[in-house]
Amino acid sequence: MKNISLLQAFRDRRTTNGHFDTRPVSLEHQHLIIEAASRAPSHFNSQPWRFVLVDDPDIRSRIAAIGGRTMQQLMDRGTFFQRYRKYFRFSAQEMDERRDGIFIDKLPGPLKPFIKQVMSDSVLKLMSSLGVSKILGEDNRKLIEGSPLLLAVMVDREEYRPGELSAFYCTLSAGMAIEHIWLLCEELGMGIQFISTPMEIPEAWAEVRDVLRVPDSLELLAVYRLGYRKPEAERPKIDWQSNQRKRISQLAFRNTCDVVEPDPPSNLL
Ligand SMILES: Cc1cc2nc3c(=O)[nH]c(=O)nc-3n(C[C@H](O)[C@H](O)[C@H](O)COP(=O)(O)O)c2cc1C
C-alpha cells in the first residue's frame, strides 16, 4: 500500500486501459474497496448502493464475452463513434487547445494514414470490412476476462425512481462512492476501468443483469474491471491519453457566472 496525500491521489488517478497483473485482488483489498465506497456521502445516509464483487472466472468470462461482442457491434454500427466523435482528438496541439476529450496517441501502423478520417463513416465501414472491429472486440474480451476482479455497482430501486429527484440523488451518491473506490485504487497500486459497451445496447445490458442475477429490487448502474497495475504494462493496440484538464479560468466563475475566475500565475491543479 502506498502512502500518498489526497491531492497526490487526485493528480495521479487514471483510467487503466491496459492489462492488469493476473494475481487475484486480496480479500482484504476487496473489502477495503467496499468500505471506501460506503464512506461516500448519500442523501439522508440512505447508502442506496450495492455491489457485486466478481472473481469467479466463469462469470468474468461471460461478462467479458458480452463486453467484447458489444464493442464489435458498436464499431460495426458506427453509432458509438457518431455519438462520441466530438470527444476524440488526434493531435497534441488540438488536445492542448481544447484541454478535454481523449487524445488517440497510439494507433496500429496501417491506420495511421487515416488518422484524421478515422472516425468518418466511410473509414469505420472500411475498418469493419477489414475485420478491425472483430480484432478490437476480441482484445476487449481478453482485457475483461483477464481482469482479476469485476465490480458491479447497483442502487436500491426503492430510492432510484427515474423522473424523481431521488434518482438523481442516487446517481450522485453512487458516483461519489465510485470515485472513493477509484482513489483508493491509487493507494492500493490498483487500476480500474469502466466497462461501458454493454450499457450502450439495452439487450446486452439485460444479459449482464441476468449473468449477475440482479434482482428486480436493484438497478444495475455500472460495471468496472479492476486489478493490480503492472509496472510496465504494454499499451493496447489503440490507446489514448486523457490526463489533460481545463484551466481554472475555463471552469470557474467568481460570485456570479458573469465573472470568470482568472488563472493563478502557476496553474496548480
Ligand atoms: C460517466 C463516465 C463514463 C466513462 N466511460 C468510459 C468508458 O466507456 N471506457 C473507458 O475506458 N473509460 C470511461 N470513462 C473514463 C473516462 O474516459 C476518463 O475518466 C476520462 O477520459 C479522464 O481520464 P482519466 O480517468 O485517466 O483521468 C468514463 C468515465 C465516466 C465518469
Side-chain angles (χ1 to χ4, degrees):
M1 214 188 274
K2 279 195 289 180
N3 226 332
I4 47 173
S5 74
L6 197 52
L7 183 59
Q8 200 55 47
F10 292 148
R11 287 175 176 162
D12 291 346
R13 186 210 55 77
R14 286 279 101 77
T15 295
T16 303
N17 302 328
H19 286 275
F20 295 123
D21 198 303
T22 49
R23 92 194 124 104
V25 177
S26 74
L27 195 59
E28 185 202 350
H29 287 174
Q30 294 189 35
H31 289 170
L32 281 176
I33 283 169
I34 302 301
E35 187 199 335
S38 78
R39 295 283 167 195
S42 60
H43 53 300
F44 298 101
N45 194 23
S46 54
Q47 303 171 54
W49 43 64
R50 301 289 181 274
F51 305 93
V52 194
L53 294 156
V54 183
D55 58 3
D56 179 90
D58 177 54
I59 301 181
R60 281 192 284 138
S61 59
R62 287 166 70 192
I63 293 179
I66 302 171
R69 194 187 70 220
T70 47
M71 169 156 280
Q72 182 182 347
Q73 284 171 335
L74 290 169
M75 282 197 77
D76 286 343
R77 292 178 190 176
T79 39
F80 186 80
F81 293 107
Q82 274 159 16
R83 208 173 299 154
Y84 301 117
R85 189 174 277 163
K86 66 175 182 177
Y87 297 114
F88 288 90
R89 317 260 172 267
F90 297 101
S91 75
Q93 190 199 344
E94 193 188 358
M95 193 71 192
D96 196 46
E97 281 161 14
R98 301 288 303 262
R99 305 183 76 86
D100 64 6
I102 60 171
F103 173 27
I104 311 288
D105 66 334
K106 187 169 184 287
L107 267 180
L111 289 182
K112 280 191 182 144
F114 303 109
I115 196 155
K116 276 282 172 204
Q117 307 98 307
V118 87
M119 295 297 153
S120 69
D121 294 334
S122 53
V123 172
L124 285 171
K125 279 206 185 85
L126 176 71
M127 291 207 301
S128 172
S129 67
L130 292 173
V132 175
S133 57
K134 195 164 176 219
I135 295 169
L136 292 180
E138 180 56 12
D139 271 5
N140 194 243
R141 187 192 67 74
K142 286 188 194 147
L143 206 60
I144 301 170
E145 190 175 48
S147 304
L149 186 68
L150 304 183
L151 180 78
V153 183
M154 305 164 298
V155 282
D156 186 345
R157 273 194 166 153
E158 243 181 65
E159 283 298 313
Y160 183 84
R161 299 187 298 274
E164 292 183 34
L165 205 49
S166 66
F168 170 69
Y169 288 163
C170 275
T171 312
L172 198 60
S173 305
M176 290 190 271
I178 294 165
E179 175 68 349
H180 277 200
I181 295 172
W182 218 307
L183 291 170
L184 178 69
C185 280
E186 208 41 58
E187 179 158 332
L188 300 179
M190 291 177 62
I192 177 167
Q193 187 180 29
F194 190 20
I195 303 172
S196 65
T197 54
M199 289 189 86
E200 303 269 340
I201 299 177
E203 310 84 71
W205 198 233
E207 249 185 89
V208 176
R209 280 187 69 102
D210 280 352
V211 171
L212 296 172
R213 303 187 50 75
V214 177
D216 287 344
S217 56
L218 296 174
E219 179 77 24
L220 179 61
L221 281 191
V223 178
Y224 291 83
R225 58 177 202 97
L226 296 89
Y228 296 108
R229 286 194 305 262
K230 288 183 179 181
E232 309 243 321
E234 197 184 310
R235 296 184 74 189
K237 288 190 182 76
I238 295 187
D239 200 12
W240 65 84
Q241 287 183 28
S242 51
N243 52 3
Q244 186 70 276
R245 292 296 189 267
K246 289 183 185 294
R247 296 196 172 86
I248 288 176
S249 60
Q250 295 172 297
L251 295 171
F253 304 94
R254 176 68 59 183
N255 295 320
T256 70
C257 295
D258 290 338
V259 182
V260 170
E261 179 70 7
D263 288 316
S266 72
N267 203 349
L268 290 175
L269 255 186

